[in-house]
Amino acid sequence: MASRLVIRSYAVVGSLALALGTQQVTAADGDTDNPASAQVEEIVVTAQRRSERMQDVPISVAAFTSEALERSGVETTADLQNRVAGFVVQERTGAFIPYLRGVGSVDPNPQNESIVSTYIDGVYVVAMPAGLMSLANIEQIEVLKGPQGTLFGRNSVGGVIQINTKTPTSEPQANFEVGYGNYQTVNGKAYVSGGIANNLSADLAFAYQHQGQGWGRNINTGHGEGFVDYSSGRSKIYLDLPDTKATFTADFSNTNADASVMLSPYHARQVLVNGQPFQGGFYDDGGVDPYSRVWQRGVSLKVEQNIGFAELVSISAYRHTYWEYFIDQANVPQVLIDAGQTMTSKDYSQEFQLVSQKDSRISWIVGAYYLNHKNSPIQTIYSGTSTVINFNYDIKTESIAGYAQATIPIIQGTNFTAGLRYTSDDQGFDKIQTINGANIPVPQGPNSQTFDKPTWRLALDHKFTEDLMVYGSYNRGFKSGVWNVTIATPSVTQPEVLDAYEMGLKSELLDHKLRLNAAVYYYDYKNIQYNLVVNGTSQIRNAAAADIQGLDLDGSLAATERLTLNFGAVWSWKRKYTSFPQGVVYIPSGTVIDGNAHTCATPDCQFSGNFTGNTILLAPAISAVGRKRQIMRTLLERMGVKDPAGVALQLQILVEGALASALVREDPQIARAARAAAEVLLDAAPKKLKKK
């Protein structure tokens, strides 16, 4: 029985990230370290819903084993942005909002779903808060870049995060880890696995974190703020017979945090909505205590049956997610602009697949998918000290899809892939609105809508050798329309569509010491859905169209048997709105546009204008593995800054805020952002640095 105990102290362990990569040390058998015999590890992925060498798949894929994730310090799905170039994650009110190559959902509200879809063991995760999770018993994670509208579908416009957890083994295994870090943080992981009968095995995994002290405090209530606590568990029972494999999975997770709903740093604004300067420090709040809680439970059953000419796969799943948050948007002791929400999501899905055998000349898959999603949110808005507005609504979605894809050899070394999917989404809602407990009539109108769309994939690949492949592909993805139910007269946001054209290279060079994959892509993005807050309520609107063009580079170099250097970068030279004639954004009060200063009574003002030709948000021109925030964190550590990770995050938020202002006209208000960034550094820096 293999076991190990790992003690980690995050208070004393630091890391140095390279600008274009992170170093990983792989333990090899024996003490030798021979560069001549070093080779990159072969990676097998399921990007096409079957097991294949990553180098044989004509799709941009970044894949990581559990060992690679552990060496990189990846603890949650949000940490993947430190390993995948072009991957950006926002955590807002406890929700997981990923972006790939500048494409992602903008609104974490219950009626919305992510367009970078998350799958766990083949099961689609519907609720956006459920995608933010700890990674306790991971076998492998694959990030598929670009639309995956054929084999995955279900809103996978930007890409797919595919998480495969460990399969129980009959051989006994055990692994335990505990750690203690700053802010009185205690965490740990445990995994045990073994056989329980002939051909039957089971496992059990747990993860836990408790942060005893917050980063800051609430100067109004005196309570600590800035913490993340979570616990999660997952168990599998695996039946392995000659022609039948069945896996039953049950899991839970609980997260309690306020880090993603705090509105610090308010000292960058200086003056609050009540006209008074904020008196707190960098991590402090001054209003009502914010919080975010996510509770979820799930079960699934996967059955794989060999029927001779093909394999029949059934995936049945049920997930129950509860999400609750409260945010003080004014950050003052008085109740002025506060909002809270609870949500209960119940999702049942069923998928059937018929997959060709591995030795089939033509690789093919045919499938059908059904999703029943019921969402019951209650949104509460506190406007002043005497007005309480409640929106109670039930959202129901039924989605049915059928799909097929085949890869056909044309000539020696050349394959043609064609796939088609047809999706029909039926969405409806019921709504009750109250003000101070009194029912308010909801305007009559349609309360259901059906969205039907085909999506497809066409690809051509050619292998010059076993280690060198080129490919070209055309993929279409679509995100279903959304009901805006938190406004007086509910409205429908139309589906968004992305056509992606990609040419790529996959290679292993220098006797398999170097793996180098590259892709040039062009996105034609139409009916983009974007978020807008009007009178304290969130809406989703369409923003016409945009073009995104770039180069994606990913690779590994086996320098020695014990040292592997992984690197990756994305360069996007075009990321513009090609049509955005009636855009709406919020800008800091006093911002000068076309010589006119826009001022209002609140820190931010609503601005309407023609944003055609401006840069889309969260699509960085250059993104590299290691990422700017990690590099910034290392520099801040050397400067002696308190909590360098948190300061680096806040600096990134300030920069993104400046980019949001730049959306109005190509004017990023650099001086304003620079002053705010300097205040962040000076507030967090040690006294000896401030004197300089």
Side-chain angles (χ1 to χ4, degrees), residues 42-87:
E42 182 174 282
I43 299 177
V44 176
V45 299
T46 55
Q48 299 189 112
R49 309 301 289 262
R50 64 172 72 244
S51 296
E52 301 171 288
R53 288 179 65 244
M54 185 174 70
Q55 297 304 98
D56 296 335
V57 178
I59 299 173
S60 293
V61 183
F64 311 99
T65 63
S66 58
E67 293 80 6
L69 295 171
E70 182 179 349
R71 290 193 297 264
S72 302
V74 175
E75 300 286 340
T76 69
T77 48
D79 296 334
L80 287 172
Q81 62 184 325
N82 297 326
R83 285 301 317 270
V84 181
F87 187 61

Side-chain angles (χ1 to χ4, degrees), residues 5-239:
L5 179 65
V6 180
I7 308 294
R8 292 179 174 173
S9 177
Y10 295 100
V12 298
V13 176
S15 64
L16 176 61
L18 301 179
L20 290 178
T22 53
Q23 291 183 343
Q24 296 184 358
V25 179
T26 304
D29 293 334
D31 297 326
T32 61
D33 191 13
N34 185 6
S37 60
Q39 292 186 340
V40 292
E41 181 183 8
E42 182 174 282
I43 299 177
V44 176
V45 299
T46 55
Q48 299 189 112
R49 309 301 289 262
R50 64 172 72 244
S51 296
E52 301 171 288
R53 288 179 65 244
M54 185 174 70
Q55 297 304 98
D56 296 335
V57 178
I59 299 173
S60 293
V61 183
F64 311 99
T65 63
S66 58
E67 293 80 6
L69 295 171
E70 182 179 349
R71 290 193 297 264
S72 302
V74 175
E75 300 286 340
T76 69
T77 48
D79 296 334
L80 287 172
Q81 62 184 325
N82 297 326
R83 285 301 317 270
V84 181
F87 187 61
V88 178
V89 174
Q90 285 192 326
E91 299 176 50
R92 194 183 312 163
T93 61
F96 177 60
I97 311 175
Y99 281 72
L100 261 174
R101 295 175 175 174
V103 178
S105 294
V106 293
D107 188 0
N109 274 347
Q111 67 267 33
N112 203 16
E113 297 177 34
S114 175
I115 59 174
V116 178
S117 304
T118 300
Y119 283 76
I120 305 178
D121 294 327
V123 176
Y124 172 59
V125 178
V126 182
M128 295 177 74
L132 185 61
M133 64 189 73
S134 60
L135 304 175
N137 64 325
I138 302 304
E139 182 68 30
Q140 184 167 288
I141 292 182
E142 304 165 19
V143 179
L144 284 55
K145 301 181 181 181
Q148 307 298 319
T150 302
L151 294 183
F152 291 90
R154 197 60 213 154
N155 300 332
S156 56
V157 176
V160 166
I161 303 167
Q162 192 164 212
I163 301 172
N164 298 316
T165 61
K166 293 180 179 179
T167 299
T169 59
S170 57
E171 179 185 355
Q173 295 183 14
N175 179 60
F176 303 93
E177 299 182 17
V178 295
Y180 181 82
N182 52 357
Y183 299 101
Q184 301 176 10
T185 302
V186 178
N187 51 30
K189 293 181 181 180
Y191 178 76
V192 293
S193 175
I196 56 178
N198 288 336
N199 303 315
L200 191 65
S201 54
D203 68 3
L204 188 62
F206 286 102
Y208 173 82
Q209 174 176 297
H210 174 67
Q211 185 178 328
Q213 179 182 352
W215 302 338
R217 66 184 182 90
N218 188 313
I219 62 175
N220 176 41
T221 65
H223 299 156
E225 291 195 357
F227 63 90
V228 178
D229 294 343
Y230 64 78
S231 61
S232 64
R234 176 178 291 267
S235 179
K236 283 185 176 182
I237 300 176
Y238 178 58
L239 174 66

Side-chain angles (χ1 to χ4, degrees), residues 47-50 52 57-59 147-153 354-356 362-367 402-408 416-421 455-459 461 474-475:
Q48 299 189 112
R49 309 301 289 262
R50 64 172 72 244
E52 301 171 288
V57 178
I59 299 173
Q148 307 298 319
T150 302
L151 294 183
F152 291 90
L354 196 61
V355 186
S356 63
I362 298 176
S363 298
W364 54 268
I365 179 173
V366 178
Y403 60 90
Q405 180 171 301
T407 299
I408 305 170
F416 174 69
T417 299
L420 179 67
R421 186 185 191 105
T455 52
W456 54 76
R457 170 174 172 77
L458 299 173
D461 67 83
Y474 167 37
N475 299 274

Side-chain angles (χ1 to χ4, degrees), residues 217-221 225 264 266 272 278 280 284-289 328 330-334:
R217 66 184 182 90
N218 188 313
I219 62 175
N220 176 41
T221 65
E225 291 195 357
S264 301
Y266 261 84
L272 302 179
F278 182 62
D284 296 339
D285 265 353
V288 182
D289 289 330
D328 186 342
N331 205 32
V332 295
Q334 298 82 12

